[in-house]
Amino acid sequence: MVSIVQSMRTVVEIETQLHGYTPLQFSERTGIHIEQLDNPRSVTVDTLDKISSLLGRPRGWLYEVYLRECFTSDILTSSEQFALAESLFEQGKKKEAIPLYRQVVDNRDGYDPQYIMSQFRLFQSLIGIGVEENREAVFRFETHYKQLPKDVRLDALLQMANVYYTFEGWKKVERYADEMRDLASKIYEEQLTNGKPYNYLRMERHLVVYLGQGYLLKGVALAKQEQYEEAKEYVLKYSDLGWFHFLDETGQKEVEKFQAWGKGNMYALELNTGNETVITEYLTFIEKHPNEYISGAMHIAKAACKFNFSVDGILEKLAIKLPSIGSNITHIQGTQLFYFWFEKSKISFKRNRRKDGIDELLYALQFARNIKYYSGFEKSVSLFWKHIDHATDQQKMDFHNIFEGEIEL
């Protein structure tokens, strides 16, 4: 980004002179006279990109100073604000795009396509900050998503389902998973009738992803509600998507991912129904699929605690390879790590290894705090108070410091 101290024209003139372009050459290659930069209304986003390309700068180089001048003079129309916001969003500059989308929302009719898309972009820009921020963002957006075009609506449904996953709204996860699966199926059937895939679809992922995620998220939501046998039916569905037509290389790789996830999740469901015999196979699976390691460790720890499996040695080995506190992890991974340590601590308490149990519980507490997993934090605090009489002075101090947010273990 360029400095916003200088005017856009000044910035461009300096760079033009450095590159040895005359005003005439600049005009011929960009389609505008350099004097027009004094009037941002006469400059389109495409023109900004042409100027950046001519001067060897990345796309978006002039956006910050352009935005500053436009807002200072308050001359951008709503459509121009939307176009600029979309360009910023496409480059991953979501923070810079947010004020523009808000301007569009404030000045457009509630049924206007740009208004609806701006609401979606605001939702996309605001999620991922934390659980409470996610909750507020999805509550504001979900009254608008049905007005989105069908292809874009698939992304909205997937993201809303994932947001509800983060704060364990399993009924809503089910609802949006069902809608996503149904919509993806309809689009797929239309393509079959047409005899070829649509080239104009604007989804972020291959169509097979939305069908598979519809099955996967439905199965996860059912499993979280302990409806394990029903969940298995959905696991079988997304484990076998090879029948899907119009699979290019990207689509085929997605199908292979679902196959792997299906195998791992079926092991997890078997564990959740008390089938201890799959542990050895499950361990082999997660060693071959590192992305499933955290999830697998959590499921084994949960099942071991629930059914009193004698797998203490296995849990110790699993713990060695798990990410430590402070590692770069997603919210979902953080939740899984919380449950691994929380369930492991309960096993230690059952075995009368109280010091180990409290250390593990403090680890769970720190993970919960770091990812703002409030229900997990409350569970950890409650369990700590049950065993506080067995805590050392150092453990009590660590608990206090974590509770107050002063340390990381």
Side-chain angles (χ1 to χ4, degrees):
M1 284 292 182
V2 298
S3 169
I4 63 171
V5 174
Q6 299 169 312
S7 71
M8 183 163 60
R9 177 176 173 177
T10 299
V11 169
V12 173
E13 282 183 331
I14 291 172
E15 288 291 322
T16 301
Q17 291 168 7
L18 289 173
H19 284 76
Y21 293 120
T22 66
L24 179 60
Q25 290 172 323
F26 176 86
S27 178
E28 290 174 342
R29 300 187 186 195
T30 62
I32 67 166
H33 297 292
I34 202 163
E35 294 82 3
Q36 289 178 252
L37 297 177
D38 288 329
N39 177 19
R41 178 181 280 276
S42 67
V43 183
T44 67
V45 174
D46 286 340
T47 300
L48 293 177
D49 294 338
K50 286 181 181 178
I51 295 172
S52 297
S53 177
L54 175 66
L55 300 177
R57 295 286 190 164
R59 185 183 178 199
W61 169 60
L62 289 168
Y63 287 179
E64 186 175 336
V65 66
Y66 178 70
L67 275 174
R68 192 261 306 191
E69 293 190 9
C70 287
F71 277 122
T72 300
S73 55
D74 194 26
I75 61 173
L76 277 184
T77 67
S78 182
S79 292
E80 288 169 337
Q81 289 171 340
F82 179 77
L84 181 55
E86 286 288 89
S87 293
L88 290 167
F89 188 90
E90 288 172 7
Q91 296 174 69
K93 304 181 189 301
K94 296 180 180 179
K95 183 178 179 181
E96 292 85 349
I98 286 175
L100 290 163
Y101 284 126
R102 284 183 170 149
Q103 287 282 333
V104 176
V105 167
D106 289 342
N107 294 292
R108 285 277 183 169
D109 182 86
Y111 294 96
D112 182 273
Q114 291 185 355
Y115 170 90
I116 299 301
M117 184 59 75
S118 294
Q119 289 284 11
F120 180 41
R121 295 304 194 208
L122 285 171
F123 167 66
Q124 291 179 296
S125 300
L126 295 171
I127 59 176
I129 300 172
V131 175
E132 292 307 312
E133 291 82 359
N134 286 352
R135 191 192 306 270
E136 182 178 349
V138 75
F139 285 173
R140 287 183 177 181
F141 171 67
E142 61 186 342
T143 58
H144 302 288
Y145 79 94
K146 289 187 177 181
Q147 298 174 64
L148 287 167
K150 287 191 296 185
D151 49 354
V152 180
R153 199 186 316 157
L154 284 173
D155 284 314
L157 288 165
L158 177 56
Q159 290 168 20
M160 287 192 297
N162 284 332
V163 167
Y164 273 105
Y165 181 104
T166 64
F167 52 86
E168 302 176 352
W170 305 125
K171 290 301 181 184
K172 281 293 185 75
V173 173
E174 280 193 73
R175 170 187 162 182
Y176 292 133
D178 288 341
E179 287 189 34
M180 176 168 51
R181 193 173 62 252
D182 290 344
L183 182 55
S185 296
K186 288 178 182 177
I187 295 175
Y188 177 67
E189 292 296 330
E190 290 174 3
Q191 291 185 347
L192 283 180
T193 302
N194 189 48
K196 60 182 180 180
Y198 296 145
N199 295 323
Y200 60 82
L201 296 177
R202 293 171 291 172
M203 301 102 66
E204 295 179 3
R205 312 284 293 280
H206 193 286
L207 182 59
V208 75
V209 170
Y210 304 95
L211 184 64
Q213 284 289 343
Y215 288 123
L216 187 150
L217 287 165
K218 177 76 169 186
V220 168
L222 289 169
K224 293 293 186 179
Q225 297 169 86
E226 300 187 354
Q227 299 176 45
Y228 301 120
E229 295 305 318
E230 294 90 336
K232 288 179 182 180
E233 297 177 16
Y234 288 91
V235 173
L236 293 174
K237 292 287 188 181
Y238 66 79
S239 296
D240 180 21
L241 292 171
W243 51 266
F244 197 96
H245 288 259
F246 315 124
L247 288 176
D248 55 13
E249 183 180 352
T250 298
Q252 187 59 49
K253 288 181 179 178
E254 296 292 355
V255 167
E256 292 169 2
K257 287 181 188 178
F258 281 114
Q259 289 173 341
W261 292 334
K263 190 171 185 179
N265 287 338
M266 192 61 81
Y267 284 134
L269 289 171
E270 289 295 330
L271 281 176
N272 281 320
T273 53
N275 184 359
E276 187 176 2
T277 64
V278 302
I279 290 180
T280 300
E281 290 182 29
Y282 197 12
L283 288 169
T284 301
F285 173 80
I286 63 176
E287 287 290 345
K288 291 181 178 179
H289 298 83
N291 290 337
E292 300 297 304
Y293 193 90
I294 299 175
S295 173
M298 175 197 69
H299 287 300
I300 292 171
K302 277 189 168 185
C305 186
K306 182 177 180 180
F307 298 105
N308 204 30
F309 295 157
S310 297
V311 292
D312 291 12
I314 290 174
L315 294 179
E316 290 299 326
K317 290 180 180 179
L318 288 171
I320 294 172
K321 293 185 178 181
L322 290 175
S324 60
I325 288 169
S327 298
N328 184 20
I329 55 175
T330 66
H331 181 88
I332 290 176
Q333 290 172 329
T335 304
Q336 292 168 341
L337 288 165
F338 161 79
Y339 275 110
F340 174 84
W341 291 107
F342 184 74
E343 298 295 329
K344 194 173 186 300
S345 74
K346 292 196 294 183
I347 293 171
S348 292
F349 291 136
K350 287 181 182 179
R351 309 279 198 267
N352 289 318
R353 300 194 299 265
R354 295 187 179 91
K355 184 179 184 303
D356 289 342
I358 293 173
D359 283 339
E360 291 156 353
L361 185 58
L362 291 173
Y363 223 59
L365 184 70
Q366 184 70 71
F367 271 114
R369 183 175 189 87
N370 285 359
I371 62 171
K372 299 180 181 180
Y373 182 39
Y374 300 120
S375 63
F377 192 82
E378 291 171 0
K379 290 176 183 177
S380 299
V381 170
S382 178
L383 188 58
F384 181 85
W385 283 112
K386 289 181 180 178
H387 297 277
I388 193 171
D389 290 343
H390 302 285
T392 64
D393 290 342
Q394 183 61 52
Q395 287 174 328
K396 291 176 183 178
M397 184 179 297
D398 288 342
F399 171 79
H400 172 78
N401 290 335
I402 296 170
F403 190 86
E404 298 297 329
E406 296 175 5
I407 68 164
E408 289 187 359
L409 297 178

